[in-house]
Amino acid sequence: MQERAVRTRRALIRSAAEQFERHGYEKTRLSEVSNGAGVTSGALHFHFQSKPELADAVERTAARRLYRAAWRSQQSPAGALQTLIDVTHALTRLLHEDVVVRAGLRLNSDASGRLCLSLRHAWQSCVQQLLARAADQGELAGTPAPSHLAQTMTAATTGYEVLARENREWLSHRAVTDLWRLLLPGAAAPAVLAGLRPEGTGELPRGARGGGAPP
């Protein structure tokens, strides 16, 4: 019975994410969520008493998966700048493949977001920390400053996420690789530039499906 309840909850969260992505929060109907999950409305209300509670579950699931992918990036043996390249690829791949992550990030960015934490601010903090490490390791050129580079990177990747709502190609491996090919010549120290791989190293595990606790 417990396994069945877990499966039902996961199915409801995925179905809700699909509806939130397709219709937005306001226009999503709980009856469509239960139909999409293949359960009765009674089963839905057993797990989630209201639409805000369901949206909160989608956001929190998305946050766990994003945090897990970002945490795994810290296990890479590469330098900080290559690690940032790799985690950018990992997170955009996760957005491309996982409807729960896409819907959760979109819900979180709404003015009516239910989580206290801004996932975009958390991403900006991750970028800033890795660039600060890269500067300490002598991997960055003298200009731009790491803080300015972090702002540019955060703005670009956030823009890709928004544009991908209309065209998923903005979250493609090629798009992220091209972004890094443009940024690295001006950002990386000449001594390390030749050793960097804007396409990523492939060291990180694919995605973070199934959730997991934040670091």
Side-chain angles (χ1 to χ4, degrees):
M1 289 294 292
Q2 187 175 5
E3 282 187 19
R4 181 177 178 182
V6 170
R7 288 197 303 269
T8 299
R9 183 180 176 86
R10 287 176 178 170
L12 285 166
I13 288 173
R14 179 175 179 83
S15 178
E18 292 170 347
Q19 294 299 320
F20 288 139
E21 182 182 45
R22 186 176 303 124
H23 302 297
Y25 175 79
E26 295 297 335
K27 293 184 178 179
T28 289
R29 299 170 57 188
L30 292 183
S31 60
E32 294 172 339
V33 173
S34 58
N35 288 339
V39 302
T40 65
S41 59
L44 185 152
H45 287 288
F46 174 80
H47 289 276
F48 304 103
Q49 295 183 4
S50 64
K51 186 161 68 171
E53 186 177 332
L54 183 56
D56 180 84
V58 172
E59 282 186 72
R60 291 183 184 279
T61 302
R64 286 195 299 270
R65 295 179 186 183
L66 286 166
Y67 275 128
R68 184 179 182 185
W71 177 81
R72 284 184 173 186
S73 75
Q74 307 305 314
Q75 314 310 307
S76 170
L81 193 50
Q82 185 65 60
T83 295
L84 178 57
I85 295 169
D86 288 348
V87 73
T88 305
H89 279 289
L91 293 181
T92 52
R93 182 168 62 237
L94 190 60
L95 273 167
H96 190 280
E97 296 175 349
D98 195 326
V99 66
V100 175
V101 173
R102 291 195 302 273
L105 191 58
R106 183 170 182 175
L107 287 167
N108 185 253
S109 64
D110 289 346
S112 59
R114 283 144 293 276
L115 285 185
C116 296
L117 173 68
S118 166
L119 295 178
R120 287 179 177 171
H121 289 166
W123 166 237
Q124 183 176 12
S125 177
C126 176
V127 173
Q128 289 171 337
Q129 290 173 18
L130 285 170
L131 286 175
R133 276 176 46 195
D136 290 342
Q137 294 168 3
E139 295 182 338
L140 299 184
T143 56
S147 59
H148 294 162
L149 183 57
Q151 290 174 353
T152 300
M153 193 64 211
T154 303
T157 50
T158 298
Y160 278 18
E161 180 262 322
V162 173
L163 290 166
R165 295 175 187 177
E166 300 296 329
N167 181 355
R168 198 73 60 77
E169 278 301 304
W170 284 102
L171 294 174
S172 68
H173 180 264
R174 177 190 56 78
V176 178
T177 299
D178 288 347
L179 174 63
W180 279 112
R181 283 176 176 157
L182 287 171
L183 289 177
L184 286 175
V192 301
L193 179 59
L196 294 172
R197 295 175 58 184
E199 74 278 10
T201 65
E203 293 291 339
L204 299 181
R206 289 185 59 84
R209 293 180 183 179

